[in-house]
Amino acid sequence: MKNAFKELNIDVDFTEEEVKEVFYNLMKKNYDQLNCDDKVASLAKKRIEKIEEAYEIISSIKDFDYLEDKYDVIYSLYEEYRNEKNYDKALMLADELIDFIPIFSDSYLLKADLLAEMNEHEEAIKYFEIAENMEDEIKEDEYIQYLKAQSQIEAKKYEDAIFTLTNITKLHGDNPFFFFDIACCYQGLGNEKMYKYYCEKRDEYWKNHKND
């Protein structure tokens, strides 16, 4: 037990939030070192393992919410690296979120969204579909399905994108942006007739809602 507190350099009377902050800072410090030379990076990996182990032990001893707290810390690090466009580390942390709670569909969606931002659209689609298979509600989520469709379009999977956008439009009503995306898909497929049809549907929507 003493080794766990020593590993995080904290006293036994620290609060949950204080321990969580220390955990975050130590994780950030060591993740920052993963892009150093091989020797430093190897030591940083070992330190991360020890820090995580110590945090789990302390959470158990002090009856902290280990699952929620650790997820929050890893997610915060993921967001920080993603905002910095440090995609290698963001991906590493996205994978750690998935490994930590593999039944949590949001982690797969985080990775899908990140991969899409990196223009890795084929891979992004796989993670969108994993999340969908975990929770049927995701198939009815307008925003998530829109993001999936954008990856399908970028990957030139036009027929899949049409299917995705058409289904979500049936559930949530007409959407001019979706109509335009569907039109572009048909253009990509060389179907000029359907391209014009959906362009007209988009224009008609704007005409009928110009005062909204």
Side-chain angles (χ1 to χ4, degrees):
M1 183 174 77
K2 290 182 179 179
N3 288 338
F5 284 96
K6 184 178 179 181
E7 189 68 48
L8 298 186
N9 193 27
I10 57 174
D11 297 324
V12 295
D13 59 348
F14 266 52
T15 66
E16 183 171 1
E17 283 304 312
E18 288 170 332
V19 175
K20 189 175 173 181
E21 183 178 355
V22 169
F23 177 53
Y24 174 87
N25 290 333
L26 287 172
M27 291 285 282
K28 178 70 165 62
K29 176 183 176 181
N30 284 280
Y31 266 97
D32 283 344
Q33 293 178 343
L34 292 179
N35 59 350
C36 297
D37 61 68
D38 290 345
K39 186 176 181 180
V40 173
S42 179
L43 288 172
K45 287 179 181 178
K46 291 179 181 177
R47 285 282 295 140
I48 289 169
E49 290 176 4
K50 289 183 178 180
I51 291 163
E52 289 185 324
E53 183 180 352
Y55 187 63
E56 183 174 5
I57 291 170
I58 290 171
S59 296
S60 175
I61 293 168
K62 304 290 281 186
D63 198 26
F64 295 159
D65 192 338
Y66 173 68
L67 288 178
E68 183 175 336
D69 288 350
K70 182 177 176 181
Y71 196 94
D72 284 349
V73 167
I74 299 173
Y75 175 77
S76 296
L77 285 170
Y78 159 85
E79 283 283 284
E80 187 169 342
Y81 285 123
R82 180 175 178 174
N83 290 336
E84 294 172 358
K85 302 201 180 301
N86 190 334
Y87 293 128
D88 286 344
K89 287 179 184 168
L91 269 177
M92 194 181 304
L93 287 157
D95 284 333
E96 187 161 348
L97 287 172
I98 289 171
D99 291 340
F100 182 51
I101 310 179
I103 62 170
F104 193 30
S105 62
D106 282 7
S107 299
Y108 297 90
L109 292 173
L110 283 176
K111 185 166 182 180
D113 197 27
L114 177 61
L115 288 164
E117 185 175 320
M118 296 168 62
N119 292 317
E120 299 287 344
H121 295 287
E122 292 271 6
E123 197 68 14
I125 293 166
K126 293 179 185 177
Y127 281 89
F128 279 120
E129 289 174 349
I130 290 171
E132 286 176 349
N133 289 332
M134 295 174 72
E135 290 189 36
D136 285 339
E137 291 83 357
I138 292 172
K139 296 176 184 176
E140 300 179 2
D141 187 297
E142 187 174 18
Y143 180 66
I144 293 172
Q145 292 302 305
Y146 173 74
L147 293 178
K148 178 186 173 186
Q150 298 312 300
S151 282
Q152 290 170 327
I153 292 168
E154 292 294 333
K156 300 189 186 317
K157 294 180 177 290
Y158 298 127
E159 291 180 353
D160 291 344
I162 291 168
F163 180 81
T164 300
L165 292 166
T166 301
N167 277 353
I168 206 66
T169 301
K170 288 176 181 177
L171 286 169
H172 294 278
D174 290 350
N175 186 311
F177 300 104
F178 291 3
F179 288 152
F180 182 69
D181 284 338
I182 294 171
C184 291
C185 288
Y186 278 115
Q187 187 178 43
L189 290 169
N191 190 330
E192 193 67 16
K193 180 180 179 180
M194 293 303 292
Y195 167 72
K196 290 180 179 179
Y197 172 76
Y198 275 97
C199 283
E200 289 171 0
K201 280 181 72 72
R202 178 203 57 180
D203 294 343
E204 183 181 357
Y205 179 94
W206 286 126
K207 181 181 178 181
N208 293 334
H209 294 80
K210 61 183 178 181
N211 296 322
D212 289 357

